[in-house]
């Protein structure tokens, strides 16, 4: 698994990254968004969803847990998942997220709540504060790129 680090100075850059990722997304993909509260996971998800054709703002699925989007609302079916409210990985099993992979893409916030259950082909995007000490500000995104994404990621 290759690793790439990107600096995203502001919200517009986060949305733009989502717009660059979206054209490479396929049914069966898992994009895992990791990071502390307020780091921009939902913003990145919104950038992906908007570039897939979603009009209007995508609500955070914090309370619904799974927010599905289907064609023609988006160009390919997406299940936007927010696992923040889960207390144990066993609770995620009840969501049957794997079933979505047959005909959708999974966009998962808080994938650590799955325990060891995250798919090995998942594109893992970890977002952290870039830190004012480094003079950067904004966010630092670390992409753990699995083989399934290697060629696609090189085009983003």
């Amino acid at each position: 698994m290759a690793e790439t680090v990107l600096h995203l100075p502001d919200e517009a850059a986060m949305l733009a990254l989502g717009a660059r990722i979206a054209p490479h997304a396929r049914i069966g993909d898992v994009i895992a968004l990791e990071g502390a509260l307020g780091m921009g996971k939902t913003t990145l998800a919104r950038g992906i969803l908007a570039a897939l054709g979603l009009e209007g703002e995508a609500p955070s699925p914090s309370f619904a847990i799974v927010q599905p989007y289907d064609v023609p609302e988006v160009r390919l079916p997406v299940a936007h998942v927010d696992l923040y409210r889960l207390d144990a990985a066993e609770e995620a099993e009840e969501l049957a997220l794997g079933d979505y992979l047959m005909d959708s893409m999974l966009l998962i916030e808080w994938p650590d709540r799955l325990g060891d259950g995250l798919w090995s082909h998942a594109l893992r995007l970890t977002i952290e504060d870039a830190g004012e000490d480094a003079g950067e500000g904004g966010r630092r995104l670390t992409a753990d790129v699995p083989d399934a994404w290697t060629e696609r990621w090189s085009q983003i």
Side-chain angles (χ1 to χ4, degrees):
M1 188 173 292
E3 184 177 282
T4 305
V5 178
L6 303 173
H7 178 249
L8 303 168
D10 54 28
E11 182 177 348
M14 188 73 73
L15 291 168
L17 176 61
R20 292 194 315 269
I21 292 171
H24 302 283
R26 302 175 184 158
I27 288 175
D29 280 342
V30 178
I31 299 175
L33 306 174
E34 303 181 59
L37 282 171
M39 285 296 112
K41 295 179 297 298
T42 301
T43 299
L44 182 54
R46 286 176 176 149
I48 293 168
L49 289 164
L52 289 173
L54 183 66
E55 295 180 14
E57 189 169 319
S60 172
S62 295
F63 293 100
I65 300 180
V66 178
Q67 177 65 51
Y69 296 96
D70 212 341
V71 175
E73 190 176 28
V74 287
R75 76 166 175 82
L76 67 98
V78 177
H80 182 191
V81 182
D82 186 329
L83 301 176
Y84 180 73
R85 296 181 338 126
L86 299 188
D87 294 321
E90 294 76 35
E91 292 178 60
E93 291 174 19
E94 295 174 21
L95 299 174
L97 296 177
D99 292 351
Y100 287 99
L101 294 179
M102 290 184 274
D103 60 5
S104 301
M105 175 188 89
L106 279 175
L107 190 54
I108 303 176
E109 297 184 44
W110 300 96
D112 57 299
R113 302 296 206 272
L114 292 170
D116 295 333
L118 186 63
W119 295 265
S120 61
H121 71 284
L123 174 63
R124 297 177 75 127
L125 304 176
T126 304
I127 307 167
E128 303 170 296
D129 191 319
E132 297 298 326
D133 295 339
E136 294 181 328
R139 302 289 186 254
R140 178 183 313 108
L141 182 138
T142 303
D144 289 316
V145 183
D147 292 343
W149 272 89
T150 302
E151 184 177 327
R152 293 183 277 166
W153 187 257
S154 68
Q155 300 170 26
I156 294 175

